């Protein structure tokens, strides 16, 4: 009986055990630098933006979809928000709200292509990724925009300020995770997400408005990506046309590593939190070890492949 309890505990908390082992390895390899207070704060800042974006991606993958436009939404929000503050003299808060509204509209567009037009989510969101990445270049002619923190020093609030030593961006991320968990566990919307991912046709027959749910889910994905873009803009202090390039794959890795099934219908926010911490710590640890950027890409790609492979093997065993 005790052995069974131990096995169940390990199986349930395997992702957190992996995180603990990772922390121990990097702590020893870096001679304590990895677990220093300053580096912990640095990690929290590094993971905040793709931690926030991972919540929207979790919703999308739960229904068996995918959103490749997250990186381009982050880039576009960076460019639009900075452009409005610096070139148009628009108030900081108004610029932030307009930028978030734009990200929601992009999400709704993705939802329309997937739900109403019937396009595969992979193609629809890849098209959005390409279009809005190009639009970000057009808006600024490919030039970075900076100086907005001098005009509005309060914009540093989103990533550079701290509360009792904890970065505000980490608090924003924690709040977003709490909201995501509440939606999935305490609302009927969350139950619909799981139902659609489990069996879309049965969900429609049971009275769930599947297409409307897809609009909502992709809009939420856009909103969380937009908020991640604001946090990243505050952290970098400069809007770059390539700032969000490839971030969607980090976000997908965090979500899938956290136990959200690529086939939909299975996953928890708590697992995604662990996935975000693992990828963030892995990236930070490799930087401390002076691992090249290209090697980091290889490692992250292997992690993503392993996570998806294990998910597929698990689903195959369940069907046998």
């Amino acid at each position: 009986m005790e052995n069974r309890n131990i096995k169940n505990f390990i199986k349930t908390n395997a992702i957190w055990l992996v995180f603990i082992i990772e922390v121990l390895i990097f702590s020893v390899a870096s001679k304590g630098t990895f677990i220093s207070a300053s580096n912990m704060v640095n990690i929290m800042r590094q993971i905040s933006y793709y931690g926030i974006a991972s919540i929207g991606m979790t919703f999308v993958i739960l229904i068996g979809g995918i959103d490749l436009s997250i990186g381009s939404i982050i880039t576009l929000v960076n460019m639009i928000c900075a452009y409005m503050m610096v070139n148009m003299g628009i108030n900081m808060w108004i610029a932030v709200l307009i930028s978030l509204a734009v990200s929601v509209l992009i999400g709704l567009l993705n939802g329309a292509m997937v739900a109403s037009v019937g396009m595969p989510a992979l193609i629809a969101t890849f098209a959005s990724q390409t279009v809005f990445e190009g639009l970000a270049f057009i808006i600024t002619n490919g030039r970075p925009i900076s100086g907005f923190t001098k005009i509005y020093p309060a914009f540093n609030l989103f990533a550079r300020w701290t509360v009792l030593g904890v970065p505000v961006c980490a608090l924003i991320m924690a709040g977003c995770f709490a909201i995501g968990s509440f939606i999935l566990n305490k609302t009927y919307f969350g139950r619909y997400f799981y139902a659609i991912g489990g069996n879309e046709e049965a969900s429609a027959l049971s009275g769930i408005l599947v297409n409307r749910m897809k609009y909502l889910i992709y809009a939420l994905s856009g909103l969380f990506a937009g908020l991640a873009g604001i946090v990243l803009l505050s952290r970098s202090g400069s809007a770059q046309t390539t700032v969000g390039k490839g971030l969607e794959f980090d976000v997908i890795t965090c979500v899938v590593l956290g136990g959200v099934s690529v086939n939909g219908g299975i996953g928890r926010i708590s697992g995604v939190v662990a996935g975000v911490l693992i990828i963030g710590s892995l990236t930070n640890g490799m930087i401390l070890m002076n691992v090249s950027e290209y090697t980091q890409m290889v490692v992250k790609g292997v992690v993503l492949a392993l996570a998806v492979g294990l998910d597929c093997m698990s689903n195959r065993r369940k069907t046998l």
Side-chain angles (χ1 to χ4, degrees):
M1 190 69 176
E2 290 183 2
N3 290 335
R4 185 181 299 175
N5 290 334
I6 293 173
K7 288 180 180 179
N8 289 335
F9 176 81
I10 293 175
K11 184 178 180 180
T12 304
N13 299 281
I15 187 73
W16 290 102
L17 294 175
V18 170
F19 172 62
I20 292 171
I21 293 171
E22 180 185 57
V23 169
L24 291 174
I25 291 173
F26 281 128
S27 297
V28 172
S30 65
K31 298 180 180 179
T33 302
F34 180 80
I35 57 171
S36 65
S38 60
N39 193 54
M40 289 296 102
V41 171
N42 189 38
I43 290 175
M44 284 190 283
R45 286 197 169 102
Q46 288 173 343
I47 68 174
S48 59
Y49 51 91
Y50 55 82
I52 294 169
S54 69
I55 300 162
M57 183 67 82
T58 298
F59 296 159
V60 172
I61 295 180
L62 273 176
I63 64 167
I66 197 74
D67 189 353
L68 297 181
S69 67
I70 281 180
S72 60
I73 290 175
I74 289 173
T75 299
L76 187 63
V77 163
N78 268 240
M79 305 312 293
I80 289 177
C81 191
Y83 186 88
M84 286 191 290
M85 289 189 290
V86 175
N87 294 45
M88 300 175 68
I90 294 177
N91 177 270
M92 178 188 88
W93 294 108
I94 295 176
V96 168
L97 290 175
I98 293 174
S99 300
L100 292 178
V102 169
S103 67
V104 171
L105 289 174
I106 295 173
L108 287 172
L109 175 62
N110 287 335
M113 288 190 290
V114 172
S116 298
V117 179
M119 293 176 63
L122 181 70
I123 302 301
T125 57
F126 179 70
S128 292
Q129 178 194 56
T130 306
V131 169
F132 292 107
E133 186 176 341
L135 188 58
F137 275 89
I138 292 172
I139 290 173
T140 61
N141 293 319
R143 298 174 182 173
I145 302 176
S146 58
F148 47 86
T149 53
K150 292 182 179 179
I151 302 172
Y152 298 107
F155 197 80
N156 289 317
L157 159 72
F158 297 104
R160 300 189 183 188
W161 290 9
T162 60
V163 176
L164 300 177
V166 179
V168 171
C169 56
L171 297 176
I172 294 173
M173 178 182 67
C176 289
F177 275 129
I179 292 171
S181 181
F182 178 82
I183 290 173
L184 291 181
N185 297 317
K186 301 297 182 180
T187 69
Y188 65 88
F189 289 122
R191 292 193 291 272
Y192 290 172
F193 296 172
Y194 285 108
I196 294 170
N199 191 318
E200 184 174 323
E201 185 177 348
S203 298
L205 291 173
S206 67
I208 297 175
L209 300 175
V210 174
N211 284 350
R212 288 190 184 181
M213 285 298 102
K214 288 182 179 180
Y215 271 92
L216 173 63
I217 288 166
Y218 279 98
L220 287 173
S221 181
L223 175 61
F224 282 112
L227 183 56
I230 296 297
V231 169
L232 182 55
L233 180 62
S234 176
R235 181 171 183 263
S236 63
S238 175
Q240 305 283 341
T241 52
T242 58
V243 69
K245 195 172 185 65
L247 280 180
E248 62 274 3
F249 295 107
D250 283 338
V251 173
I252 292 170
T253 303
C254 292
V255 173
V256 177
L257 185 62
V260 180
S261 174
V262 292
N263 294 304
I266 299 172
R268 297 180 301 173
I269 289 293
S270 59
V272 176
V273 173
V276 169
L277 290 172
I278 287 174
I279 295 301
S281 299
L282 181 64
T283 302
N284 180 270
M286 288 191 294
I287 291 173
L288 289 178
M289 297 295 98
N290 293 318
V291 177
S292 71
E293 181 180 354
Y294 305 112
T295 304
Q296 291 181 42
M297 292 170 63
V298 171
V299 172
K300 289 180 181 179
V302 170
V303 170
L304 177 58
L306 287 174
V308 174
L310 289 172
D311 177 55
C312 292
M313 290 171 64
S314 176
N315 288 321
R316 185 181 302 169
R317 282 197 297 268
K318 290 177 182 178
T319 59
L320 292 176

